[in-house]
C-alpha cells in the first residue's frame, strides 16, 4: 500500500489538481520546462526495481519494530505470495485539494497575513492529544537505526536507491545505479547529521518548553 501511496496515488492527486493543460498566473502552460508532467506507476512484481523497494521497505520495518521471529529476506519469491493477497483499494482523487505551486495569482496580496501563533499552538496541542496513550503502546518495541551507506547488508541504500529511481521514473528522469546513489548520499550526510539536526533539536526543545509552561510571559521571553 505504501508503494501505491508514494508512486501512484500522490501522482494521481497531483495531476488531478494540476492537469496537463493547466495555465499559470501569466497564462503560460504550467507544465513547461523545467517542470515535467508526472505519470503514476502501476505496481508490477516482475519489475526488479519495484521488488527492490518492497523487499527493502519490509525488512527495514521489521527491524524497526522488532517483529518476533524476523529473519532477513531478500528473495522476491518469498514476497510474491504475500503481495498477491494484498487488496489495493481504488484511489479516487479529491476535489478541492490545494497544491502549493509557489505562484501568486494576479491581484493576490504579496504578503498574506501570518497565522496567529496561538492558533499554531492550539493545532500542535490538538495533535499531541490525538497521540495514542502510553498504556496503548505497551509491548510495542521500536529500534532506532543509524543510517550507514557503506553496508550492503542493512537495506539502507537498497531502500534509498529504489525509492529515488521510482520517483525519477514518475517524472521520466534518468535512473541511477546504487553506487551512484551512495556517492550522492555521501555528500548529503555531513550537513544532514550536523547543522540541520542540531538546529531542529534546539527548536523542538524550545517548543516543548513553551507547551509545558505556556502563558504570554513565556512567549515574550522567547521573542
Amino acid at each position: 500500500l505504501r508503494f501505491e501511496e508514494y508512486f501512484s496515488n500522490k501522482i494521481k492527486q497531483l495531476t488531478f489538481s494540476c492537469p496537463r493543460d493547466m495555465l499559470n498566473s501569466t497564462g503560460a502552460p504550467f507544465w513547461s520546462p523545467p517542470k515535467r508532467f508526472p505519470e503514476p506507476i502501476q505496481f508490477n512484481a516482475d519489475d526488479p526495481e519495484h521488488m527492490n523497494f518492497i523487499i527493502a521497505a519490509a525488512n527495514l520495518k521489521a527491524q524497526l519494530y522488532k517483529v518476533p521471529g524476523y529473519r532477513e529476506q531478500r528473495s522476491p519469491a518469498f514476497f510474491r505470495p504475500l503481495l498477491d493477497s494484498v487488496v489495493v483499494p481504488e484511489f479516487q482523487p479529491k476535489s478541492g485539494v490545494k497544491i502549493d505551486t509557489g505562484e501568486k495569482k494576479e491581484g493576490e496580496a504579496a504578503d498574506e497575513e501570518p497565522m496567529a501563533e496561538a492558533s499554531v499552538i492550539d493545532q500542535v496541542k490538538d495533535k499531541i492529544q490525538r497521540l495514542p496513550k502510553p498504556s496503548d503502546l505497551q509491548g510495542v518495541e521500536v529500534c532506532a537505526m543509524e543510517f550507514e551507506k557503506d553496508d550492503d547488508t542493512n537495506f539502507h541504500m537498497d531502500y534509498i536507491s529504489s525509492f529515488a529511481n521510482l520517483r525519477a521514473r514518475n517524472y521520466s528522469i534518468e535512473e541511477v545505479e546504487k553506487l551512484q546513489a551512495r556517492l550522492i548520499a555521501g555528500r548529503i550526510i555531513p550537513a544532514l547529521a550536523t547543522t540541520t539536526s542540531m538546529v531542529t533539536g534546539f527548536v523542538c526543545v524550545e517548543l516543548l518548553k513553551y507547551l509545558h509552561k505556556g502563558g504570554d510571559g513565556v512567549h515574550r521571553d522567547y521573542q
Side-chain angles (χ1 to χ4, degrees):
L1 295 180
R2 289 298 183 186
F3 183 98
E4 295 293 323
E5 177 186 352
Y6 294 146
F7 309 114
S8 181
N9 295 349
K10 287 186 176 181
I11 300 300
K12 290 177 180 178
Q13 181 64 59
L14 174 61
T15 55
F16 177 82
S17 300
C18 301
R20 190 186 293 271
D21 57 356
M22 176 179 172
L23 303 178
N24 61 19
S25 57
T26 63
F30 176 77
W31 293 106
S32 57
K35 297 187 183 74
R36 297 176 184 233
F37 189 77
E39 296 290 345
I41 298 175
Q42 182 175 359
F43 178 74
N44 181 4
D46 294 325
D47 189 309
E49 202 66 81
H50 293 197
M51 290 305 297
N52 286 342
F53 174 82
I54 296 295
I55 293 171
N59 278 277
L60 288 173
K61 195 163 188 177
Q63 295 173 20
L64 180 66
Y65 288 99
K66 294 186 177 181
V67 174
Y70 163 74
R71 289 185 299 173
E72 179 182 303
Q73 294 289 347
R74 290 183 176 271
S75 172
F78 174 84
F79 290 92
R80 282 197 175 94
L82 301 174
L83 293 171
D84 291 339
S85 65
V86 176
V87 178
V88 180
E90 183 180 356
F91 177 75
Q92 295 293 339
K94 299 177 181 178
S95 300
V97 175
K98 185 177 181 181
I99 305 294
D100 185 7
T101 62
E103 297 181 339
K104 295 286 185 182
K105 295 182 179 179
E106 186 176 354
E108 186 177 356
D111 295 319
E112 296 181 355
E113 184 71 19
M115 184 180 294
E117 294 186 29
S119 176
V120 175
I121 297 300
D122 289 339
Q123 291 182 19
V124 174
K125 288 182 177 179
D126 179 63
K127 291 181 178 180
I128 292 176
Q129 290 176 353
R130 286 190 280 113
L131 290 173
K133 298 178 181 178
S135 58
D136 296 335
L137 299 176
Q138 289 184 357
V140 177
E141 293 187 67
V142 179
C143 175
M145 292 183 288
E146 184 175 351
F147 177 65
E148 176 50 65
K149 66 181 178 64
D150 295 318
D151 185 351
D152 283 330
T153 66
N154 61 13
F155 295 99
H156 294 184
M157 285 309 305
D158 297 89
Y159 180 82
I160 289 176
S161 61
S162 61
F163 197 115
N165 281 332
L166 289 169
R167 176 63 77 231
R169 195 174 296 183
N170 280 135
Y171 288 89
S172 301
I173 299 174
E174 183 180 359
E175 299 175 28
V176 299
E177 298 291 337
K178 187 166 74 171
L179 175 60
Q180 187 174 352
R182 178 181 285 119
L183 295 175
I184 296 172
R187 294 196 291 269
I188 296 174
I189 292 171
L192 181 64
T194 54
T195 307
T196 307
S197 60
M198 290 174 64
V199 171
T200 304
F202 283 129
V203 169
C204 290
V205 168
E206 296 303 314
L207 177 60
L208 290 173
K209 289 179 182 177
Y210 183 82
L211 291 173
H212 179 67
K213 295 182 180 180
D216 294 337
V218 176
H219 176 243
R220 285 194 295 270
D221 290 343
Y222 286 132
Q223 281 186 324

